[in-house]
Amino acid sequence: MSRYRNLVVSSVLAVASLTAYAQTKVPTTGVLVVVPAYGEVKHVNDQVRITFNIEEQDKDKAAAASRVNLKMKQGTDILKRQDPQAILQTRGYYTYPVYPEETQPRANPNKPRLPTGWRVGQYLDATTTNLTNLPKTVASVQSVLALNGINFSLSDATSKKLDDLRIAATYRNLAERIGSIARAMGRNEGDAVLDTIDFEGSGNYAPEGAMPKTMMMRSAASDSAQVEEPSFEPGETTLSMRVVGKVRFK
């Protein structure tokens, strides 16, 4: 019985406290409130950037370079056949000397070291929205080149379409926060007048946003044998926006 009495007393005290708080009003006429808000939209990634590479090693620098050039051409031709719409870019051609391992200090450290071979390599990037054919394309190219990396993202066209939705979501969150602040201050939402809206979210009061997420994979070098088709999951990208509004109450 005493426990029930304690609950009743606690409830009465809580109601009394809320009533006293509601009766104690701080003047808010003309006050300027800075309201940060945040909005985001998500969409399945519809674009991928694939990176292939080839590296050869030989005592003869010209022989190593010749094999790299040949395999890069073969891999490029395969990519063009498998995905004619892909945008291709070769880059990062390198040639490095290979020196013998030294287990003991050299008798004459001032004598120049002579290379025993050469490492030659090159990279090939392919950007495409043809994700349906991606496993077959990659497996075909892997018979000649190595898969070095793959990065899923949103295409420019999709990003532009999502921009309207992102702005709307951000503004909706701002309006919801203004309503919550007005109610907490004991004011009507109609008393709040937007003075400034900063869609850049600049200023020290704006939280730092995260960059769009992407998926990255790494793969070891492949040989010339037929390669089974790999499995890929493009995932999704989150586009976010910050907004800061300055609200003045009548």
Side-chain angles (χ1 to χ4, degrees):
M1 192 66 180
S2 58
R3 182 180 178 184
Y4 175 76
R5 223 178 1 250
N6 290 336
L7 289 175
V8 173
V9 172
S10 299
S11 300
V12 172
L13 291 176
V15 172
S17 299
L18 290 174
T19 303
Y21 176 78
Q23 292 174 350
T24 305
K25 293 185 178 181
V26 178
T28 58
T29 302
V31 68
L32 182 66
V33 181
V34 177
V35 184
Y38 177 83
E40 66 177 28
V41 291
K42 296 182 179 181
H43 194 279
V44 175
N45 291 318
D46 61 345
Q47 179 177 276
V48 63
R49 180 180 179 181
I50 322 161
T51 299
F52 299 96
N53 79 302
I54 182 64
E55 181 178 289
E56 292 289 336
Q57 184 171 326
D58 199 286
K59 293 181 179 180
D60 186 349
K61 180 167 58 174
S66 180
R67 292 201 299 271
V68 167
N69 297 344
L70 176 61
K71 290 185 178 182
M72 181 56 68
K73 184 180 185 307
Q74 292 173 343
T76 302
D77 291 341
I78 293 173
L79 255 176
K80 289 180 178 179
R81 288 196 303 269
Q82 293 291 333
D83 192 350
Q85 297 180 349
I87 300 174
L88 308 184
Q89 179 183 6
T90 53
R91 62 176 175 85
Y93 201 107
Y94 61 88
T95 304
Y96 295 127
V98 178
Y99 295 99
E101 295 184 4
E102 295 182 347
T103 57
Q104 297 179 353
R106 287 185 293 164
N108 185 4
N110 296 324
K111 184 179 180 180
R113 298 174 63 195
L114 298 177
T116 58
W118 296 88
R119 289 171 52 230
V120 182
Q122 190 178 17
Y123 291 88
L124 172 64
D125 294 331
T127 303
T128 181
T129 56
N130 188 359
L131 302 189
T132 302
N133 202 45
L134 181 62
K136 182 179 179 181
T137 300
V138 171
S140 298
V141 179
Q142 278 185 298
S143 63
V144 181
L145 305 179
L147 176 61
N148 182 262
I150 184 165
N151 184 14
F152 292 97
S153 62
L154 295 177
S155 63
D156 291 340
T158 301
S159 296
K160 290 179 181 179
K161 291 179 181 178
L162 293 175
D163 201 39
D164 288 344
L165 297 177
R166 178 171 51 169
I167 292 175
T170 306
Y171 186 81
R172 184 166 57 250
N173 182 251
L174 176 63
E176 292 171 352
R177 287 194 167 199
I178 292 174
S180 298
I181 292 173
R183 289 189 294 273
M185 296 171 62
R187 301 294 300 271
N188 295 324
E189 294 185 33
D191 295 336
V193 179
L194 272 171
D195 182 86
T196 304
I197 299 180
D198 178 11
F199 272 97
E200 291 293 330
S202 59
N204 296 328
Y205 41 72
E208 295 184 359
M211 295 297 291
K213 300 178 182 179
T214 56
M215 295 179 59
M216 180 65 73
M217 297 179 62
R218 294 292 177 185
S219 176
S222 62
D223 52 28
S224 58
Q226 182 178 355
V227 179
E228 293 294 329
E229 293 185 8
S231 298
F232 298 114
E233 295 295 336
E236 64 181 16
T237 291
T238 299
L239 297 179
S240 61
M241 174 176 283
R242 300 186 301 271
V243 65
V244 175
K246 293 182 179 179
V247 181
R248 192 177 298 277
F249 283 89
K250 300 177 184 179

